[in-house]
Amino acid sequence: MHTHTLDCGRSLPLLEDNMTLRDVAYLPYADPDDFIREVTDLIWVQRDISHIYDNYEPNSIVHGPLGTATGVEQVVQGSMMRIAQTPSHVGQAEDVIWEARGDDAFLSSHLVLGIDPIPTTTGLVTVRSRTIANCLYRRGRMVEEWVVRDSLAHCLQMGIDPAQAARAATFVGYTPGFSEPPPQDVLACGDSGPRPDDHRAECETVLAMIDGVWNRRNLSLVGEYFERDLVLSTVGDRTVVRPHGYQEDFLRLIQAFPDAVFEVRDVQTHHAERYGGLRVAVVWKMVGRYTGVADYGPLTGERIELLGVSQFQFHRGRIVREVRIFDTVGLIAQIDATRGEREFVFDNLY
């Protein structure tokens, strides 16, 4: 097996003669879509938790709402606890956006609609929430993951104060690499490595929207990048429609962090009729200081890093849908970590 150094400073193995991406990346499945859906179902629905040892590298890296975890044992233990808390869980794949990463790897963005019947003292509550897991698989094994969950939906539907849920969590921080400046040319090489130059026009549309609307705060541009009948699915299991609704939702997100900047860390695209055509997935990080509206308790003035993933669906060159997920409970835990124990209750959050 030979190696070569890529422009972004990473070395990837090259395939031997007569080998294909499928031979080394996702056999015995037909494509990465089948691979991701079947493996996820095996672990989370059929409860074969031990398959995680076969699926993840021993030193795998997972960036989640509470920071970065390293090692397969943390994945096994975390998955086991989540499965125990939702024994009747069904995770329905809404989308799998995948793209090759070199000759022996792929990056998948797996949108999962979770349906969780949970018994309570007052009866059975069915919690509906979304998760997006971006996974970098090399030679059939997961080496790095970026995962976000709609924890706010769980809290709201279960009648739990998100602040109370956050007090049971500990923010450990991200690895230095994830806190470094974003890639200089994310369309050539993101955090997951070099990518093919596929669907550049749509990718550039998404990047221009994030720069103009999200970072420069020119909300009047929403109508230029999105269809009039746009749909935004976001945290709290909420659905927002039309440009005006999109603008209001974005203002609600940043009002606590008025200096927030959105960094694009990775991009991938895929076209499949099964999922409505062309989609673009973006891993982003919001960096800002908690100095604005006190949505999460007393202001701290401290810096936060919010990991998020958005999936954009295109039709005739314009965005018709965005699914935007980030972890609200993880955000609160991060804020709490900057000030110690504080008692507060939400009154402004959605």
Side-chain angles (χ1 to χ4, degrees):
M1 188 66 60
H2 308 288
T3 63
H4 66 289
T5 301
L6 299 149
D7 291 341
C8 60
R10 301 193 181 192
S11 294
L12 296 178
L14 294 174
L15 296 181
E16 301 289 0
D17 291 342
N18 302 320
M19 296 178 69
T20 68
L21 178 65
R22 184 184 180 214
D23 289 331
V24 295
Y26 51 83
L27 276 178
Y29 301 101
D31 55 30
D33 186 332
D34 281 349
F35 180 105
I36 291 297
R37 289 188 296 106
E38 295 304 320
V39 166
T40 302
D41 204 74
L42 180 63
I43 295 170
W44 287 91
V45 178
Q46 300 179 45
R47 309 299 189 231
D48 185 358
I49 301 173
S50 68
H51 187 66
I52 294 173
Y53 291 110
D54 299 323
N55 191 239
Y56 282 64
E57 287 287 1
N59 61 346
S60 55
I61 300 169
V62 179
H63 309 283
L66 298 176
T68 301
T70 302
V72 68
E73 285 298 338
Q74 294 197 56
V75 178
V76 171
Q77 293 174 22
S79 301
M80 182 183 65
M81 289 188 292
R82 285 186 174 276
I83 289 172
Q85 292 166 356
T86 55
S88 300
H89 169 80
V90 174
Q92 181 73 17
E94 285 194 275
D95 205 339
V96 179
I97 303 173
W98 68 269
E99 210 177 56
R101 287 293 181 268
D103 289 333
D104 68 342
F106 67 88
L107 179 68
S108 64
S109 184
H110 186 193
L111 171 62
V112 182
L113 175 62
I115 306 296
D116 298 315
I118 300 176
T120 70
T121 56
T122 58
L124 195 67
V125 175
T126 299
V127 175
R128 171 191 152 106
S129 65
R130 286 184 170 92
T131 296
I132 301 180
N134 271 38
C135 296
L136 176 61
Y137 276 89
R138 178 155 292 121
R139 295 189 163 269
R141 292 171 70 88
M142 213 285 297
V143 295
E144 193 164 4
E145 180 177 6
W146 299 260
V147 60
V148 288
R149 301 180 181 90
D150 183 5
S151 59
L152 180 60
H154 177 86
C155 289
L156 295 178
Q157 293 169 53
M158 290 293 294
I160 300 171
D161 179 4
Q164 185 66 38
R167 280 192 284 272
T170 302
F171 181 73
V172 299
Y174 292 107
T175 55
F178 192 66
S179 294
E180 291 176 355
Q184 292 185 350
D185 183 0
V186 73
L187 295 188
C189 183
D191 282 351
S192 65
R195 62 175 299 274
D197 191 12
D198 292 338
H199 306 291
R200 173 167 281 270
E202 289 81 2
C203 290
E204 289 179 341
T205 294
V206 170
L207 295 184
M209 188 281 295
I210 291 174
D211 180 58
V213 177
W214 292 11
N215 282 332
R216 297 179 182 271
R217 314 292 201 254
N218 188 351
L219 274 63
S220 68
L221 293 176
V222 171
E224 292 191 16
Y225 298 110
F226 290 83
E227 290 280 4
R228 181 200 65 188
D229 298 316
L230 73 91
V231 176
L232 168 67
S233 299
T234 190
V235 297
D237 192 32
R238 293 181 307 112
T239 299
V240 172
V241 299
R242 298 285 180 118
H244 182 71
Y246 190 96
Q247 293 168 346
E248 288 188 343
D249 180 84
F250 179 75
L251 290 171
R252 184 179 293 172
L253 169 61
I254 65 168
Q255 67 184 5
F257 314 97
D259 65 344
V261 174
F262 292 82
E263 301 176 355
V264 177
R265 310 294 308 196
D266 226 327
V267 173
Q268 71 224 78
T269 68
H270 189 248
H271 188 285
E273 294 303 323
R274 170 181 184 150
Y275 301 115
L278 178 63
R279 294 95 62 231
V280 177
V282 172
V283 175
W284 51 264
K285 183 174 69 172
M286 186 185 82
V287 180
R289 292 175 299 130
Y290 185 37
T291 59
V293 177
D295 284 340
Y296 309 102
L299 299 174
T300 65
E302 298 294 331
R303 183 179 186 269
I304 62 93
E305 296 179 310
L306 176 64
L307 171 64
V309 181
S310 289
Q311 293 186 349
F312 300 91
Q313 181 180 352
F314 275 79
H315 179 66
R316 295 177 181 174
R318 291 162 66 84
I319 305 169
V320 295
R321 185 191 184 205
E322 178 187 352
V323 179
R324 182 194 306 152
I325 303 297
F326 55 89
D327 194 303
T328 304
V329 171
L331 173 61
I332 301 165
Q334 185 178 164
I335 293 171
D336 285 351
T338 67
R339 64 176 167 216
E341 294 287 336
R342 292 288 181 92
E343 293 290 330
F344 62 92
V345 177
F346 288 104
D347 55 12
N348 295 326
L349 190 58
Y350 301 115

